[in-house]
């Protein structure tokens, strides 16, 4: 791990109450990522540093330090996720990460999943918002404004599985067939879907706290509990139980909303409700304004967050963060796109917006707001990267670095 500047920085810490203490010169780790990662990292750091400098006039600055993961780490030290990188995240608490390549169907395990498991980053948070002028398949994409809280450590993404015809899979199948009354082919591959009350409730708790702190009107529990009754159905039940036990004076259910309040929620309450997974996919298209914060198990959240990204411009416009009770890793939500590596072509907005989420996490909201406003102006001027330009007649296509330059120019304007 190397210091990217000659500046001296300080560590982010927690105070005695568990609140984040952020110095004016925090050390923050970055992982470039594979494929297009270096391109979008170079664009992103320019925008983040520019926004911080403009917002605080030099009083605050980020001191970036590189941590290795992915192909760059393997070439340097022979490991895709060095122990030194995990130790560094534990020491400095906050990191910004580009996309990392994960083989499909074999090879090493996903680095992203490993980071979430090892660091207990149990909440994958994916905001979805629309910037005017962005091409969208919807007639009214501006109605899409949601934040997905996806459970990050359980469900099928826990990684407990065995390949078909392996001795381990056959052992599990034999047990299920002989001891549990199941009827599974001995040749089947096996995956386990663990879900617990503790894991589900801490995710729902974080979603409710976010909704209360940001003035969001509702939290929806997305699940497939009509079929998977003891996992996803339990997620729904545990979510309602948590809301009633810890937030009874701040939340109301949909049933209470109509029985006690004639469908009009009191100003100091948020609504907690639930929807079946397949149903909510069509509802976020037809009635997106009815959904604000969505809490869901892992696999559902993976599907839904990508589908929602398509409504507001695609994964190139989709930020994300993996956050636990102590550590936070902010990341681009798209893949590494190796065919575009080193072409200075790809849209850097996903990583830029993930960095903006990081600024908000640090409570540097003035800098974050500058980026949101600058990004909106850049898109409205129809100066965009190829992924958006091909869908916007009359747009001027910019390179990855050129888009960052345009965004930086727009930071100097007044509010949009």
């Amino acid at each position: 791990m190397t210091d990217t500047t000659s500046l001296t920085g300080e560590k982010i810490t927690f105070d005695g109450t568990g609140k984040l203490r952020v110095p004016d010169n925090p050390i923050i780790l970055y992982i470039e990522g594979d494929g297009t990662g270096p391109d979008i990292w170079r664009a992103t750091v320019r925008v983040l540093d520019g926004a911080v400098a403009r917002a605080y006039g030099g009083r605050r600055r980020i001191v970036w330090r590189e941590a290795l993961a992915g192909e760059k780490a393997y070439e340097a030290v022979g490991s895709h996720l060095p122990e030194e990188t995990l130790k560094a995240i534990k020491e400095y608490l906050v990191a910004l990460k580009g996309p990392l390549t994960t083989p499909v169907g074999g090879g090493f395990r996903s680095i992203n999943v490993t980071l979430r498991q090892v660091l207990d980053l149990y909440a994958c948070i994916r905001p979805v918002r629309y910037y005017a002028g962005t091409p969208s398949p919807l007639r009214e994409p501006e109605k899409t404004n949601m934040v997905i809280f996806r459970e990050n450590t359980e469900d099928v993404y826990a990684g407990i599985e065995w390949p078909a015809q392996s001795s381990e899979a056959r052992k599990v199948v034999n047990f299920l067939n002989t001891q549990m009354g199941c009827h599974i082919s001995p040749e089947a591959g096996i995956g386990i879907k663990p879900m617990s009350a503790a894991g589900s409730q801490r995710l729902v708790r974080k979603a409710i706290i976010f909704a209360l702190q940001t003035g969001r009107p509702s939290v929806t529990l997305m699940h497939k509990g009509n079929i998977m009754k003891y996992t996803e159905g339990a997620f729904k039940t545990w979510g309602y139980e948590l809301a009633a036990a810890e937030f009874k004076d701040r939340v109301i259910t949909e049933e209470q909303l109509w029985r006690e309040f004639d469908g009009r929620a009191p100003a100091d309450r948020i609504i907690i409700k639930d929807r079946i997974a397949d149903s909510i996919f069509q509802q976020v298209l037809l009635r997106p304004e009815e959904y604000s914060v969505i809490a869901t198990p892992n696999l559902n959240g993976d599907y839904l967050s990508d589908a929602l990204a398509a409504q507001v411009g695609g994964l190139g416009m989709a930020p994300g963060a993996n956050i636990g009770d102590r550590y936070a890793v902010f990341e681009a939500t798209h893949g590494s796109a190796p065919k575009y590596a080193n072409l200075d072509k790809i849209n850097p907005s996903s990583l830029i917006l993930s960095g903006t989420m990081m600024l908000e996490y640090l409570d540097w909201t003035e800098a974050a707001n500058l980026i949101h406003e600058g990004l909106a102006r850049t898109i409205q001027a129809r100066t965009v990267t190829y992924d958006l330009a091909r869908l916007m007649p009359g747009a001027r296509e910019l390179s990855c670095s050129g888009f960052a330059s345009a965004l930086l120019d727009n930071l100097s304007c007044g509010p949009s």
Side-chain angles (χ1 to χ4, degrees):
M1 187 176 66
T2 58
D3 197 328
T4 60
T5 75
S6 60
L7 301 175
T8 300
E10 298 179 55
K11 294 179 183 179
I12 297 171
T13 58
F14 287 95
D15 65 18
T17 66
K19 184 178 179 181
L20 209 63
R21 189 193 72 82
V22 181
D24 286 339
N25 57 340
I27 298 169
I28 293 178
L29 302 178
Y30 74 92
I31 297 170
E32 277 190 339
D34 299 328
T36 57
D39 280 350
I40 63 174
W41 161 250
R42 286 189 291 267
T44 295
V45 71
R46 290 172 56 208
V47 171
L48 295 179
D49 286 347
V52 169
R54 174 163 175 77
Y56 306 113
R59 181 171 57 86
R60 288 176 171 172
R61 65 176 183 268
I62 295 172
V63 177
W64 298 101
R65 290 191 180 177
E66 184 173 12
L68 297 179
E71 295 169 356
K72 190 173 183 179
Y74 190 79
E75 291 174 1
V77 298
S79 170
H80 288 94
L81 183 58
E83 185 63 30
E84 182 186 359
T85 294
L86 293 171
K87 290 179 180 177
I89 296 174
K90 292 177 181 179
E91 181 177 1
Y92 294 107
L93 307 185
V94 177
L96 179 62
K97 181 181 75 63
L100 296 171
T101 299
T102 298
V104 176
F108 59 87
R109 188 181 180 193
S110 166
I111 301 170
N112 295 325
V113 171
T114 302
L115 282 169
R116 295 164 189 167
Q117 295 280 344
V118 172
L119 299 172
D120 199 24
L121 305 174
Y122 61 84
C124 178
I125 304 174
R126 297 277 297 270
V128 183
R129 62 178 284 182
Y130 179 72
Y131 293 90
T134 307
S136 169
L138 300 184
R139 286 182 298 186
E140 299 177 299
E142 67 277 1
K143 292 183 178 179
T144 303
N145 187 359
M146 306 176 207
V147 181
I148 310 302
F149 278 72
R150 165 189 166 199
E151 202 289 318
N152 230 359
T153 62
E154 298 189 320
D155 200 358
V156 292
Y157 277 37
I160 306 171
E161 59 177 353
W162 300 275
Q165 302 184 47
S166 66
S167 60
E168 295 88 352
R170 285 176 169 164
K171 185 182 297 184
V172 175
V173 169
N174 181 65
F175 170 79
L176 292 173
N177 287 344
T178 60
Q179 303 297 316
M180 305 300 290
C182 299
H183 302 281
I184 301 171
S185 167
E187 308 306 311
I190 292 292
I192 305 296
K193 180 185 176 77
M195 293 177 64
S196 68
S200 299
Q201 289 185 332
R202 66 180 182 173
L203 185 279
V204 174
R205 179 184 297 111
K206 192 173 282 288
I208 292 175
I209 290 173
F210 173 83
L212 290 170
Q213 290 177 339
T214 58
R216 298 267 177 164
S218 67
V219 173
T220 303
L221 307 174
M222 172 190 176
H223 61 92
K224 192 61 179 172
N226 56 328
I227 303 299
M228 291 172 279
K229 300 180 186 299
Y230 306 120
T231 51
E232 302 214 8
F235 175 88
K236 178 197 76 169
T237 300
W238 292 327
Y240 276 120
E241 289 175 351
L242 181 281
E246 297 187 12
F247 301 96
K248 63 180 180 180
D249 296 328
R250 301 299 308 277
V251 304
I252 56 172
T253 64
E254 275 189 306
E255 189 273 333
Q256 288 177 295
L257 177 69
W258 292 101
R259 174 170 50 85
E260 300 177 17
F261 301 100
D262 196 28
R264 297 180 180 86
D268 62 342
R269 303 282 188 96
I270 63 170
I271 304 163
I272 185 162
K273 51 192 176 182
D274 72 276
R275 295 290 184 272
I276 300 295
D278 46 328
S279 172
I280 201 171
F281 266 96
Q282 61 97 22
Q283 290 189 31
V284 295
L285 287 169
L286 299 176
R287 304 199 299 274
E289 67 275 13
E290 294 183 12
Y291 298 95
S292 177
V293 176
I294 299 175
T296 183
N298 204 317
L299 186 60
N300 293 339
D302 200 359
Y303 293 153
L304 184 67
S305 55
D306 280 17
L308 284 172
Q311 298 178 201
V312 297
L315 286 177
M317 299 297 297
N322 300 290
I323 299 177
D325 290 330
R326 187 166 184 82
Y327 313 115
V329 177
F330 299 82
E331 65 179 356
T333 57
H334 53 73
S336 59
K339 72 176 182 177
Y340 293 114
N342 303 313
L343 297 182
D344 193 26
K345 185 177 180 69
I346 200 166
N347 187 347
S349 296
S350 177
L351 191 60
I352 289 171
L353 288 171
S354 298
T356 306
M357 287 181 70
M358 182 194 74
L359 294 175
E360 293 166 343
Y361 180 78
L362 301 179
D363 202 26
W364 290 14
T365 54
E366 299 86 356
N369 290 339
L370 280 178
I371 296 174
H372 286 303
E373 294 160 2
L375 181 61
R377 280 188 289 270
T378 306
I379 292 171
Q380 288 166 7
R382 310 177 79 78
T383 49
V384 292
T385 47
Y386 82 99
D387 56 317
L388 301 182
R390 62 189 174 183
L391 302 173
M392 297 169 65
R396 180 163 65 94
E397 182 177 325
L398 300 178
S399 64
C400 177
S401 58
F403 183 81
S405 296
L407 205 166
L408 280 166
D409 288 342
N410 282 319
L411 292 182
S412 62
C413 301
S416 58

